[in-house]
Amino acid sequence: IAGITQAPTSQILAAGRRMTLRCTQDMRHNAMYWYRQDLGLGLRLIHYSNTAGTTGKGEVPDGYSVSRANTDDFPLTLASAVPSQTSVYFCASSAGGGADTQYFGPGTRLTVL
Amino acid sequence: GQNIDQPTEMTATEGAIVQINCTYQTSGFNGLFWYQQHAGEAPTFLSYNVLDGLEEKGRFSSFLSRSKGYSYLLLKELQMKDSASYLCAVVSNDYKLSFGAGTTVTVRA
């Protein structure tokens, strides 16, 4: 089934540890995005990539890094996790980087203790 | 910055109509999306408006007034499965989505 997959589904992590959230899409979409969703705040953009080989910062990029080595994969890395990074993380993709509809993965629930 | 406001919660009866309002003040405007999100799941696309007026899609309709910075999502003939959060998102000048905090709709029998 075409779409976006994320791994892991959930994770409990000790503060200070490094963690990579994985995202893969098979729709050959050019643009990919990482959001975090916190209660009462809605979805906030962390990083994005308009095409393979390029990345950009969103609204809340501090403490996170991304890479886009190919079209399909867009991993999000927390170099040294902190409790404020406890959240639900959604990866999304769209055909182009404009106003094209974004399609979301199932999310990763991350708890940093 | 972006400012997108929508009510936190709404409750309605099965078979009724509910209107979810969204007002926005953003850096430019390139369209407005509505997404549905069931608890513990991913947001799914409902509608996209870029021109003023009403877009109807089955039981769901979305309206946009760019001059007023206002949109609403209308859910008709409510069903229990419509209990979910509804997210308003605006495409700003840099073509990035800014989301409201979402409106949780509870449908009661």
Side-chain angles (χ1 to χ4, degrees):
Chain A
I1 297 177
I4 302 177
T5 58
Q6 293 184 235
T9 302
S10 65
Q11 182 76 44
I12 299 174
L13 190 66
R17 297 297 295 268
R18 180 184 180 89
M19 176 73 191
T20 295
L21 308 185
R22 300 184 297 279
C23 175
T24 300
Q25 55 101 359
D26 62 2
M27 296 178 282
R28 306 306 294 172
H29 282 174
N30 283 317
M32 297 186 74
Y33 313 85
W34 275 105
Y35 294 90
R36 59 179 290 173
Q37 187 173 38
D38 302 289
L39 196 63
L41 293 179
L43 286 155
R44 292 181 292 169
L45 183 64
I46 305 170
H47 284 288
Y48 65 92
S49 168
N50 286 331
T51 190
T54 69
T55 62
K57 294 181 180 180
E59 180 185 355
V60 288
D62 294 343
Y64 306 95
S65 63
V66 292
S67 61
R68 186 89 184 278
N70 57 60
T71 298
D72 298 344
D73 301 301
F74 192 42
L76 176 74
T77 297
L78 289 67
S80 179
V82 295
S84 61
Q85 292 178 311
T86 294
S87 188
V88 180
Y89 290 86
F90 287 101
C91 179
S93 72
S94 63
D100 290 345
T101 300
Q102 293 186 19
Y103 298 91
F104 287 80
T108 293
R109 183 174 295 276
L110 181 67
T111 302
V112 182
L113 301 176
Chain B
Q2 324 297 352
N3 189 23
I4 300 167
D5 289 318
Q6 48 182 133
T8 302
E9 295 180 335
M10 302 183 75
T11 301
T13 305
E14 196 172 15
I17 298 172
V18 69
Q19 178 175 314
I20 306 168
N21 296 324
C22 173
T23 58
Y24 61 89
Q25 290 177 303
T26 57
S27 304
F29 181 84
N30 284 295
L32 186 145
F33 285 90
W34 284 97
Y35 281 84
Q36 180 189 59
Q37 185 177 25
H38 285 100
E41 298 183 7
T44 55
F45 168 78
L46 286 178
S47 68
Y48 172 69
N49 295 66
V50 66
L51 300 176
D52 289 352
L54 186 68
E55 296 271 349
E56 296 187 85
K57 195 183 295 184
R59 294 188 299 113
F60 292 3
S61 302
S62 56
F63 171 83
L64 175 67
S65 169
R66 289 172 297 172
S67 63
K68 295 182 179 179
Y70 168 71
S71 173
Y72 67 72
L73 180 69
L74 194 69
L75 285 62
K76 294 177 279 189
E77 302 169 18
L78 278 173
Q79 302 176 9
M80 299 301 288
K81 67 179 181 179
D82 298 330
S83 291
S85 286
Y86 292 85
L87 315 179
C88 174
V90 174
V91 187
S92 52
N93 265 350
D94 60 359
Y95 288 96
K96 299 299 173 286
L97 280 186
S98 295
F99 284 83
T103 299
T104 299
V105 172
T106 302
V107 180
R108 294 187 171 160

